[in-house]
Amino acid sequence: MASTSSLTLSQALQAQAISYHAFRQSPDNRISFSPHSFPAFFGLKSMAPRSATSSRRLPTRQLRQVRAAVVETLDATAEASLVEKSINTIRFLAIDAVEKANSGHPGLPMGCAPMGHILYDEVMRYNPKNPYWFNRDRFVLSAGHGCMLQYALLHLAGYDSVQEEDLKNFRQWGSRTPGHPENFETSGVEVTTEKHLAARYNKPDIDIVDHYTYVILGDGCQMEGISNEACSLAGHWGLGKLIALYDDNHISIDGDTDIAFTEDVDKRFEALGWHVIWVKNGNTGYDDIRAAIKEAKVVKDKPTLIKVTTTIGFGSPNKANSYSVHGSALGAKEVDATRKNLGWPYEPLHVPEDVKKHWSRHIPDGAALEAEWNAKFAEYEKKYKEEAAELKSIITGELPVGWEKALPTYTPESPPVATRNLSQTCLNALAKVLPGFIGGSADLSSANMTIIKMFGDFQKDTPEERNFRFGVREHGMGAICNGIALHSPGMIPYCATIFVFTDYMRAAIRISALCEAGVIYVMTHDSICIGEDGPTHQPIEHLASFRAMPNILMLRPADGNETAGAYKAAILNKKRPSILALSRHKLPHLPGSSIEGVEKGGYIISDNSSSNNPDVILIGTGSELEIAARAADELRKEGRGVRVVSLVSWELFDEQSDAYKESVFPAAVSARVSIEAGSTFGWEKIVGSAGKAIGIDHFGASAPSARLFKEFGITVEAVIAAAKEVSYSQ
Amino acid sequence: MASTSSLTLSQALQAQAISYHAFRQSPDNRISFSPHSFPAFFGLKSMAPRSATSSRRLPTRQLRQVRAAVVETLDATAEASLVEKSINTIRFLAIDAVEKANSGHPGLPMGCAPMGHILYDEVMRYNPKNPYWFNRDRFVLSAGHGCMLQYALLHLAGYDSVQEEDLKNFRQWGSRTPGHPENFETSGVEVTTEKHLAARYNKPDIDIVDHYTYVILGDGCQMEGISNEACSLAGHWGLGKLIALYDDNHISIDGDTDIAFTEDVDKRFEALGWHVIWVKNGNTGYDDIRAAIKEAKVVKDKPTLIKVTTTIGFGSPNKANSYSVHGSALGAKEVDATRKNLGWPYEPLHVPEDVKKHWSRHIPDGAALEAEWNAKFAEYEKKYKEEAAELKSIITGELPVGWEKALPTYTPESPPVATRNLSQTCLNALAKVLPGFIGGSADLSSANMTIIKMFGDFQKDTPEERNFRFGVREHGMGAICNGIALHSPGMIPYCATIFVFTDYMRAAIRISALCEAGVIYVMTHDSICIGEDGPTHQPIEHLASFRAMPNILMLRPADGNETAGAYKAAILNKKRPSILALSRHKLPHLPGSSIEGVEKGGYIISDNSSSNNPDVILIGTGSELEIAARAADELRKEGRGVRVVSLVSWELFDEQSDAYKESVFPAAVSARVSIEAGSTFGWEKIVGSAGKAIGIDHFGASAPSARLFKEFGITVEAVIAAAKEVSYSQ
């Protein structure tokens, strides 16, 4: 799978993930994909026979030894000179690939090669031939502009994804080594999941979930507000299996960090509840790095920050320790000087035989680790059948048969309810049937209506629970949910705030879209319906802004059936995130609304005309669909043929056949009126130049919401007037 | 001015500012406007005669005494029981207004009334009858959901903006007391400006710029990443006149902060370089609050955080210290119980006579303070004529005559240059003629091309300089620029990063738009032109997303003249922010481009047809205008009548007359093709259903940019083919 080199796969891989801070670091060049970011899981089912075979070949005792050997390299490693040589191999793979592309970031890989080597060669447990192995340790290159570090490590470790050809095609069209790491910032996130799943599925006799998350982050990461949000939560939750190596090199793009960043990072992390270790010589103090990681693993109730002081561009005699080595190729002359300085006689992109041989053990070792785990899982399955089945569904992402029957349905006689409350009913129904369903709100759970009543809070001492309390940290919340979604295909995270605050987390939402992380964004108070809170709280342009974003479902359900339909679409669209825009105020259940309709994105809820030729088409979304329906009632009393269309998701509607689209919006009917309590931007596409879009193209105001709807003309009367205007003009 | 009660003014006030964290706190209810947020300045010019009169009436010695008296209330204040009564007045104004609106946040005002009283009655220097007085102390209610605290204080202090009627109309349509404070989060920001202006204009004998910024912030503010960004910079810059009172009440909307926020805030602020003081009893320890503020003022090289431990909803016997008092009215029964508990016999919204009398001194005192300052300014003006004129232009916002002549112009013969470089030329030209022009980049100055060469870096020890080094902190950067823009009408801040990173600072940009803060956002690498950095760095939906946002200018210039035109529009539009989207790659100077054209938003750069009836209209923006122009050349060779339109700013074009619009896009010509390297979302409005929009509706990829333009079909050939298609179909 990962060894195919088709453009399609390559693009899919590119789209999978992002090292978030990484690409914050320079506008000009970088990438990498790390195993943990592959969303597809070539599941237990297909692996099982192989594991069975392996475990027949490798009896348990032998497996234990393999693992022990891997772990003990922490103390007693390969011959010192070979380590040095391996580290220089990593450095020159980066230097040469960047040089060939004449684009990229050599500085970080040159400075971080020692910690990279120690992590991938000595510390981490993974199987190069199955990057999707569930129990692998995770690695996140937060400072991902230095992606050549990770490409080099994946290459040495024997991953099919980064072969020699890929290194040569660094940052080129169609390559599998694009300019920025297609991972994403997940400090604390995968570990969170690990902690949660471990708490739910580990047994006194079998630790079936048992892996670490390692992160390399840089000065730029430290400056971004989101990293403080995420690290504050990681400290609060006591994520003991999160080990972050901070590449303290004192250089950012604009020069020495002294110009903008003079805080005491160690002290800040201590304040956030982290264990902090300082490795003063990260360039050559290999044993110090090893000892620090060892110490970090001993601290089980706190995440650990290892501040590793390094020299950016280590080895370059004229450019080391300067911003010039951050984001540009060294240049032929300096590459030569660096070769001389580090005593490196080899051709570009060459891996010396002894280094190759040294690293070659990771393929059999990794297979053995996975086989051992598979054997353990087989044992677990025998003893704990139910838990094993559940965990398997989390690992594979297979949804339980008939899950969608848990979703509620409604009739026009059901009492009016706000869609935010209808959403809560759906969340609680889904939590019962989907073992990987988990989430929470950014300190607005009682407004967003997101509490799962059958579960308690996920906290340091109750990690098996499923209600997250993210605090007022929207951006961190989104990033954490991305991490959860990409940890295992069966994890389905949701997160919530009020719709206008998507502005605070837009970068995380875009990463969901780019990574194909099926996060569900529960966004309530989706218009001026928020009322007295005023214009700061009233979304206007937000629906339009997400409709313009690639690979995301923007859903705005109108009532009970549509809310259920929106959740069905969200769960089924695992490869794209969904945003549900929900009302604060009560809405009636409309005749004609349906789950099936939502799945088509746009559909007719009522029509008194025939031959697909109404006098006018009224189009609404969410809370304004009711207004369209009421206007239609009035117009029909006057003898007009009126169709009402719910356009709950533009993206899903766009994907329907031309015939279906024509059946909803016949080309011959240009008399169209849309109503939506938000920007009209983009609605010309639907209503055409002969139609009329009713909306709000200015900021809102502070007053009770009914008053605002009236003052801003989001009314039945306005729809009726517009309908008459556009049909007369025909 | 502020005393008029017209709806228009009220709405203008509402739109002016936001307490950023404030409205993060609850989705259901709040507002306030503080003096510093009024963008209009009823300048020195009109004040001067008044000052002259005043200073005739009050000789200098007497003025000194007035100020001394204000300051010394820190130590020797009014009778203790009166203070208590004043504090309870504040509490009940908040309780009663929220109760009347049945909407709002009583908890914070009840808990923070003591610190509010001390700040407004004893510490701060302001003039209630001129909220725009330049040298006033600034107050920012970061935890602005508690806006009734500020409304009550403004009311007591005698501001015309909050009269009894306004308190009764809290959160109602058309009121001047909307549901959230229309200020904005500016921790460190106003002080920054203060520090900068003080460094530029103060003289050994005259401190003409000399004011403090006070902030009240809450637990929610502390959790948001942006506050760490801003506070890290405030510490780095050593903003000694920033004093932040942290309302440490342990409650957020979802309950006790223990569920999500257990970090050591004091220690974190120490790590960020702040001076930290803890007032353990913020409920009744008035002297401790006074002493803390006094201590904070002594520390001149660091900002100070005063952690004031309070009880949210202090005084409410059954709801104090619980989340239920955060964002809902107390309810009649609990209001009664609170009245009983605090011994408050008065009618709703009543200010007892002795309290009224006590506060009444602020009107004469404030006038005296301003008069004193005006006298000082007159002296300053005599001695330092040039500096005084410059400072006056910063205070009034009046642009120097002929400033726009500094902007460069180009001819088609000028060598091709990337618009980011053309932008740098403009920035440097403007810095020479606009004394309030100031800004920088989020660690990308060499990519964004934003360095003003004639100035050094704004740093702790060089605050008179004008190049800001924001570090990798986009959100904080945007908020800081909002603060600078609103500090004084003549301050014109710009800030820069790559266009896709607007996602990190979108909330700040929206606040610029809502606050009418004329910040200039310099956004380079505005499309797939960023190339090898890959899809994480390539904006797609961003142009559309800002075109949908109210009150913002989205400008995408195509060459030298258009870049100059974009800056001209940005400087002139002081009441709305501008975003300049700029290219990474070189672009030719196109025949027909002009500064005047940009001011119209859209204009014809070339046309070989007559009678306003071309065969086809080609529309481009920014770097793709060249592609449209080249396609036109080819089509004209084949004998077609082709018009090329630059649509550099949709907003400015929308504001033109119908006649002008018809002269550019005649209704009769439906053969229209647009080309823009971004989402086509919204382009139907321009090209109509018979036209064609060429763009990119998916994520980008990592490769050299020329390859990407080709692979994604952003080419001359594609335009020619589309032009033929749409003209045949006519």
Side-chain angles (χ1 to χ4, degrees):
Chain A
M1 60 257 190
S3 67
T4 69
S5 61
S6 78
L7 178 59
T8 316
L9 175 62
S10 151
Q11 286 177 317
L13 292 178
Q14 286 180 33
Q16 272 153 16
I18 281 111
S19 169
Y20 171 100
H21 283 300
F23 51 83
R24 329 294 346 289
Q25 293 277 341
S26 137
D28 283 298
N29 309 311
R30 319 131 226 190
I31 201 168
S32 100
F33 38 90
S34 86
H36 78 274
S37 71
F38 295 1
F41 176 77
F42 296 81
L44 279 172
K45 226 172 247 173
S46 56
M47 301 310 291
R50 235 168 71 186
S51 347
T53 319
S54 307
S55 61
R56 264 200 304 278
R57 280 206 307 257
L58 291 171
T60 309
R61 194 180 315 154
Q62 198 177 335
L63 282 168
R64 291 261 157 71
Q65 284 168 344
V66 170
R67 185 166 66 163
V70 174
V71 173
E72 279 168 13
T73 51
L74 266 177
D75 307 299
T77 57
E79 195 193 333
S81 70
L82 189 57
V83 168
E84 191 77 30
K85 200 165 174 180
S86 167
I87 289 170
N88 279 333
T89 302
I90 295 162
R91 287 193 177 112
F92 280 98
L93 286 176
I95 291 170
D96 295 337
V98 170
E99 199 64 23
K100 186 159 186 311
N102 193 26
S103 167
H105 301 71
L108 182 143
M110 293 166 77
C112 291
M115 58 182 121
H117 170 89
I118 290 169
L119 282 175
Y120 269 82
D121 191 51
E122 303 176 10
V123 174
M124 282 171 56
R125 298 187 303 164
Y126 54 84
N127 179 3
K129 295 300 174 194
N130 181 12
Y132 317 112
W133 173 40
F134 172 73
N135 203 42
R136 69 192 178 276
D137 288 338
R138 269 72 172 173
F139 174 74
V140 180
L141 184 61
S142 176
H145 58 277
C147 54
M148 265 309 306
L149 172 71
Q150 197 167 3
Y151 293 150
L153 293 164
L154 294 175
H155 178 65
L156 289 174
Y159 283 78
D160 293 334
S161 51
V162 187
Q163 306 201 3
E164 195 177 334
E165 212 46 39
D166 300 304
L167 296 176
K168 287 182 182 161
N169 279 312
F170 179 52
R171 301 186 139 234
Q172 301 308 304
W173 176 259
S175 83
R176 292 185 297 174
T177 45
H180 269 90
E182 306 295 343
N183 306 324
F184 65 90
E185 216 282 288
T186 47
S187 318
V189 174
E190 293 217 319
V191 176
T192 299
T193 308
E194 193 278 343
K195 184 163 180 169
H196 173 73
L197 293 177
R200 274 171 69 183
Y201 296 109
N202 283 356
K203 300 290 172 182
D205 58 337
I206 308 182
D207 281 353
I208 198 67
V209 183
D210 176 26
H211 55 260
Y212 284 83
T213 298
Y214 298 93
V215 178
I216 293 182
L217 75 168
D219 292 301
C221 310
Q222 297 285 18
M223 291 187 235
E224 284 284 4
I226 184 188
S227 68
N228 198 68
E229 291 182 8
C231 294
S232 177
L233 273 174
H236 172 74
W237 287 332
L239 303 181
K241 287 191 158 182
L242 172 62
I243 299 174
L245 295 94
Y246 162 36
D247 176 26
D248 171 47
N249 66 29
H250 285 281
I251 298 292
S252 71
I253 295 177
D254 274 359
D256 196 288
T257 52
D258 280 357
I259 64 172
F261 183 61
T262 48
E263 65 181 57
D264 183 337
V265 175
D266 307 30
K267 191 168 178 180
R268 177 160 63 88
F269 272 78
E270 281 168 14
L272 298 178
W274 287 53
H275 181 64
V276 178
I277 308 169
W278 183 17
V279 173
K280 292 182 188 171
N281 172 8
N283 295 322
T284 56
Y286 310 144
D287 282 340
D288 296 341
I289 298 173
R290 291 180 183 116
I293 295 174
K294 199 172 176 182
E295 178 182 331
K297 286 183 154 186
V298 172
V299 177
K300 297 204 185 302
D301 61 341
K302 288 178 175 186
T304 296
L305 181 81
I306 306 175
K307 180 168 94 168
V308 188
T309 300
T310 69
T311 302
I312 191 170
F314 180 86
S316 161
N318 303 303
K319 295 192 166 179
N321 199 29
S322 92
Y323 68 94
S324 66
V325 79
H326 165 90
S328 317
L330 293 181
K333 206 176 136 193
E334 187 65 13
V335 169
D336 281 351
T338 307
R339 279 192 144 69
K340 218 161 281 168
N341 189 39
L342 294 176
W344 197 253
Y346 306 103
E347 288 298 292
L349 299 174
H350 179 75
V351 179
E353 274 315 308
D354 48 352
V355 171
K356 205 177 269 177
K357 186 161 170 289
H358 172 73
W359 278 81
S360 67
R361 76 184 190 287
H362 288 290
I363 292 177
D365 283 4
L369 282 169
E370 181 171 349
E372 180 192 21
W373 185 83
N374 285 337
K376 192 195 265 187
F377 189 86
E379 191 191 339
Y380 183 87
E381 202 167 16
K382 263 185 227 153
K383 288 189 180 171
Y384 310 104
K385 204 172 163 195
E386 207 171 309
E387 291 89 334
E390 226 179 74
L391 180 56
K392 204 184 267 191
S393 83
I394 285 176
I395 296 172
T396 63
E398 212 170 286
L399 296 169
V401 177
W403 67 273
E404 71 279 5
K405 289 187 193 121
L407 289 168
T409 54
Y410 301 84
T411 68
E413 289 69 40
S414 312
V417 190
T419 50
R420 62 171 166 156
N421 296 68
L422 294 162
S423 161
Q424 187 172 38
T425 305
C426 290
L427 288 170
N428 277 275
L430 291 170
K432 276 186 198 149
V433 294
L434 302 176
F437 201 64
I438 189 168
S441 159
D443 196 41
L444 286 171
S445 58
S446 53
N448 304 141
M449 310 300 291
T450 49
I451 295 284
I452 304 293
K453 292 166 187 168
M454 63 192 284
F455 298 116
D457 284 358
F458 172 91
Q459 293 289 1
K460 189 171 181 171
D461 298 324
T462 50
E464 71 284 5
E465 298 292 355
R466 296 206 220 165
N467 287 301
F468 278 98
R469 302 291 195 163
F470 292 107
V472 192
R473 302 180 182 97
E474 297 81 8
H475 199 171
M477 173 171 77
I480 287 167
C481 286
N482 284 332
I484 294 171
L486 295 183
H487 181 278
S488 304
M491 294 303 297
I492 307 175
Y494 66 90
C495 63
T497 182
I498 65 172
F499 191 34
V500 78
F501 294 168
T502 51
D503 285 348
Y504 288 81
M505 57 192 304
R506 195 170 169 91
I509 295 175
R510 191 177 203 254
I511 285 175
S512 306
L514 188 54
C515 296
E516 304 183 346
V519 176
I520 301 176
Y521 292 94
V522 179
M523 295 292 146
T524 67
H525 302 69
D526 69 347
S527 77
I528 49 165
C529 68
I530 198 166
E532 293 92 336
D533 271 328
T536 53
H537 286 52
Q538 292 164 357
I540 297 292
E541 71 281 14
H542 299 75
L543 290 165
S545 80
F546 288 112
R547 287 176 185 145
M549 188 182 277
N551 199 46
I552 193 159
L553 289 186
M554 180 67 248
L555 295 142
R556 191 160 187 254
D559 67 2
N561 292 330
E562 288 205 352
T563 304
Y567 273 102
K568 187 174 177 194
I571 300 287
L572 289 175
N573 278 270
K574 278 212 62 67
K575 294 292 185 93
R576 52 181 163 180
S578 298
I579 303 179
L580 275 68
L582 301 163
S583 80
R584 176 194 183 194
H585 58 303
K586 285 184 186 180
L587 297 170
H589 301 274
L590 297 168
S593 77
S594 70
I595 292 178
E596 299 69 35
V598 174
E599 294 185 277
K600 293 200 168 77
Y603 66 109
I604 301 168
I605 64 158
S606 71
D607 193 347
N608 66 327
S609 71
S610 57
S611 310
N612 200 24
N613 191 26
D615 296 328
V616 65
I617 304 176
L618 307 182
I619 309 135
T621 76
S623 47
E624 289 73 65
L625 185 61
E626 179 206 358
I627 298 178
R630 281 165 50 205
D633 289 345
E634 296 303 314
L635 288 163
R636 285 168 191 153
K637 283 182 199 159
E638 299 177 19
R640 306 203 181 221
V642 184
R643 171 176 297 180
V644 179
V645 171
S646 170
L647 200 56
V648 53
S649 164
W650 294 30
E651 300 81 13
L652 291 175
F653 185 70
D654 270 348
E655 291 162 14
Q656 304 306 311
S657 68
D658 287 346
Y660 179 75
K661 287 184 204 166
E662 172 69 18
S663 79
V664 177
F665 295 119
V669 181
S670 65
R672 304 177 184 183
V673 174
S674 68
I675 182 159
E676 186 172 74
S679 169
T680 60
F681 192 83
W683 272 100
E684 291 85 0
K685 182 181 174 179
I686 308 297
V687 298
S689 35
K692 192 163 179 193
I694 297 174
I696 307 171
D697 290 313
H698 50 76
F699 288 114
S702 169
S705 66
R707 181 73 185 267
L708 293 177
F709 276 89
K710 187 163 165 279
E711 295 286 344
F712 295 154
I714 310 297
T715 60
V716 172
E717 296 69 35
V719 176
I720 292 171
K724 289 181 178 174
E725 193 187 321
V726 299
S727 16
Y728 287 142
S729 72
Q730 274 199 300
Chain B
M1 57 260 193
S3 65
T4 70
S5 62
S6 77
L7 178 59
T8 315
L9 175 64
S10 150
Q11 285 178 316
L13 291 179
Q14 284 179 34
Q16 271 154 16
I18 281 110
S19 168
Y20 170 98
H21 282 300
F23 50 84
R24 330 293 345 291
Q25 292 278 342
S26 138
D28 284 298
N29 307 312
R30 327 133 221 184
I31 202 166
S32 99
F33 39 90
S34 85
H36 79 277
S37 71
F38 295 2
F41 175 78
F42 297 82
L44 279 173
K45 229 172 244 171
S46 56
M47 300 309 293
R50 235 168 73 187
S51 344
T53 319
S54 306
S55 63
R56 261 199 307 275
R57 279 205 308 257
L58 290 170
T60 310
R61 196 179 314 155
Q62 196 177 337
L63 283 168
R64 290 261 158 73
Q65 283 168 344
V66 171
R67 184 165 68 164
V70 175
V71 173
E72 277 168 16
T73 51
L74 268 176
D75 307 298
T77 57
E79 198 192 332
S81 69
L82 189 57
V83 168
E84 192 77 29
K85 199 165 176 182
S86 167
I87 289 169
N88 279 333
T89 303
I90 296 162
R91 286 193 178 112
F92 279 98
L93 287 176
I95 290 169
D96 295 337
V98 170
E99 200 64 22
K100 184 158 189 311
N102 193 25
S103 168
H105 300 72
L108 182 143
M110 292 166 77
C112 291
M115 57 182 122
H117 171 89
I118 290 169
L119 282 175
Y120 269 82
D121 191 51
E122 303 177 10
V123 174
M124 282 172 56
R125 298 189 303 165
Y126 55 84
N127 178 4
K129 295 299 175 196
N130 180 13
Y132 317 111
W133 173 40
F134 171 74
N135 203 42
R136 69 194 179 273
D137 287 338
R138 269 71 173 172
F139 174 74
V140 179
L141 183 61
S142 176
H145 59 278
C147 54
M148 265 311 304
L149 172 69
Q150 197 167 3
Y151 293 150
L153 292 165
L154 294 176
H155 178 64
L156 289 174
Y159 283 77
D160 293 333
S161 51
V162 188
Q163 306 201 5
E164 195 177 334
E165 213 46 41
D166 300 305
L167 296 175
K168 286 182 182 161
N169 279 312
F170 180 50
R171 300 188 139 233
Q172 301 308 303
W173 176 259
S175 83
R176 291 184 299 174
T177 45
H180 268 89
E182 306 295 340
N183 305 326
F184 65 90
E185 214 281 285
T186 46
S187 318
V189 174
E190 294 217 316
V191 176
T192 298
T193 305
E194 194 278 342
K195 184 163 179 168
H196 172 73
L197 293 178
R200 273 171 68 184
Y201 296 109
N202 283 355
K203 300 288 172 184
D205 58 336
I206 308 181
D207 280 353
I208 198 68
V209 183
D210 176 27
H211 54 260
Y212 284 83
T213 297
Y214 298 93
V215 178
I216 293 182
L217 75 168
D219 291 302
C221 309
Q222 297 286 18
M223 292 188 233
E224 285 284 2
I226 184 187
S227 68
N228 197 69
E229 291 182 9
C231 295
S232 177
L233 273 175
H236 172 73
W237 287 330
L239 303 181
K241 287 191 158 179
L242 173 63
I243 299 175
L245 294 95
Y246 162 36
D247 176 26
D248 171 48
N249 66 27
H250 285 281
I251 298 292
S252 70
I253 296 178
D254 273 0
D256 195 287
T257 52
D258 279 357
I259 64 173
F261 184 60
T262 49
E263 64 180 57
D264 183 338
V265 175
D266 307 29
K267 191 168 177 179
R268 177 160 65 84
F269 272 78
E270 282 168 14
L272 298 179
W274 287 52
H275 181 64
V276 178
I277 307 170
W278 184 17
V279 173
K280 291 181 188 172
N281 173 9
N283 295 324
T284 57
Y286 310 145
D287 282 340
D288 296 342
I289 297 174
R290 291 180 183 116
I293 295 173
K294 199 171 178 184
E295 177 182 334
K297 286 185 154 186
V298 171
V299 177
K300 299 204 183 301
D301 60 341
K302 287 177 176 187
T304 296
L305 182 81
I306 305 176
K307 182 168 94 169
V308 187
T309 300
T310 69
T311 302
I312 190 170
F314 180 86
S316 161
N318 304 303
K319 294 193 167 180
N321 200 28
S322 92
Y323 67 93
S324 66
V325 79
H326 165 89
S328 317
L330 292 182
K333 206 176 137 194
E334 188 65 12
V335 169
D336 282 349
T338 308
R339 277 191 144 68
K340 217 161 284 169
N341 190 38
L342 293 177
W344 197 250
Y346 308 103
E347 289 298 292
L349 299 173
H350 179 75
V351 180
E353 276 313 309
D354 48 351
V355 171
K356 206 177 270 177
K357 185 162 171 287
H358 173 73
W359 279 80
S360 68
R361 77 183 191 287
H362 288 289
I363 292 178
D365 282 4
L369 282 170
E370 182 171 346
E372 180 192 19
W373 185 83
N374 284 338
K376 193 196 266 189
F377 190 85
E379 191 191 341
Y380 182 87
E381 202 166 17
K382 263 184 226 153
K383 286 190 180 170
Y384 310 103
K385 202 173 167 196
E386 205 171 310
E387 290 90 335
E390 224 178 76
L391 179 57
K392 203 184 269 192
S393 83
I394 285 176
I395 296 173
T396 63
E398 211 170 288
L399 296 169
V401 177
W403 68 273
E404 71 279 5
K405 289 186 193 123
L407 290 167
T409 55
Y410 301 84
T411 68
E413 289 69 40
S414 312
V417 189
T419 50
R420 62 171 164 154
N421 296 68
L422 293 162
S423 161
Q424 188 173 38
T425 305
C426 291
L427 289 170
N428 277 274
L430 291 171
K432 275 186 199 148
V433 294
L434 302 177
F437 201 64
I438 188 168
S441 158
D443 197 40
L444 286 172
S445 57
S446 54
N448 303 143
M449 309 300 291
T450 49
I451 295 285
I452 303 293
K453 290 166 188 168
M454 63 193 283
F455 298 117
D457 284 358
F458 172 92
Q459 292 289 0
K460 190 172 181 170
D461 297 325
T462 50
E464 72 283 5
E465 298 291 355
R466 296 207 221 163
N467 287 299
F468 278 99
R469 302 292 196 164
F470 292 106
V472 191
R473 302 181 182 97
E474 296 81 8
H475 199 170
M477 173 172 76
I480 288 167
C481 286
N482 284 333
I484 294 171
L486 296 183
H487 181 279
S488 304
M491 294 302 297
I492 307 174
Y494 65 90
C495 63
T497 182
I498 65 172
F499 191 33
V500 79
F501 294 168
T502 50
D503 285 349
Y504 288 82
M505 57 192 305
R506 195 172 169 90
I509 295 174
R510 192 176 202 257
I511 285 174
S512 306
L514 188 53
C515 295
E516 304 182 347
V519 176
I520 302 176
Y521 291 94
V522 179
M523 295 292 147
T524 67
H525 302 70
D526 70 347
S527 76
I528 50 165
C529 69
I530 199 167
E532 292 93 334
D533 271 329
T536 51
H537 286 52
Q538 293 165 357
I540 297 292
E541 70 280 14
H542 299 74
L543 289 166
S545 80
F546 287 112
R547 286 175 186 146
M549 187 181 278
N551 198 45
I552 193 161
L553 290 186
M554 179 68 247
L555 295 142
R556 192 162 186 253
D559 66 2
N561 292 330
E562 288 205 350
T563 303
Y567 273 102
K568 187 175 176 193
I571 300 288
L572 290 175
N573 278 270
K574 278 212 64 66
K575 293 291 185 94
R576 54 181 162 180
S578 299
I579 304 180
L580 276 67
L582 301 163
S583 79
R584 176 194 182 195
H585 57 305
K586 286 185 184 176
L587 297 170
H589 301 275
L590 297 168
S593 76
S594 70
I595 291 178
E596 299 69 36
V598 174
E599 294 185 275
K600 293 201 167 77
Y603 67 107
I604 301 168
I605 63 159
S606 70
D607 193 347
N608 65 328
S609 70
S610 56
S611 310
N612 200 23
N613 191 25
D615 296 329
V616 65
I617 304 175
L618 307 183
I619 308 133
T621 76
S623 48
E624 288 74 65
L625 185 61
E626 180 207 357
I627 298 177
R630 282 165 50 206
D633 289 344
E634 295 302 314
L635 288 162
R636 286 167 190 155
K637 283 182 198 160
E638 297 178 20
R640 305 203 181 222
V642 184
R643 171 176 297 179
V644 179
V645 171
S646 171
L647 201 57
V648 54
S649 164
W650 293 30
E651 299 82 13
L652 291 176
F653 185 70
D654 271 348
E655 291 162 14
Q656 303 306 311
S657 68
D658 287 346
Y660 179 76
K661 287 184 203 165
E662 173 69 17
S663 78
V664 176
F665 294 119
V669 181
S670 66
R672 303 176 185 183
V673 174
S674 69
I675 182 160
E676 185 172 75
S679 169
T680 60
F681 191 84
W683 273 99
E684 291 84 1
K685 181 180 174 181
I686 309 297
V687 299
S689 37
K692 194 165 177 193
I694 297 174
I696 307 172
D697 289 313
H698 51 75
F699 288 114
S702 169
S705 65
R707 181 71 184 267
L708 292 176
F709 276 88
K710 188 162 165 280
E711 294 288 345
F712 295 154
I714 310 298
T715 60
V716 172
E717 295 71 34
V719 176
I720 292 171
K724 290 180 177 174
E725 195 187 320
V726 298
S727 13
Y728 287 143
S729 72
Q730 275 200 294

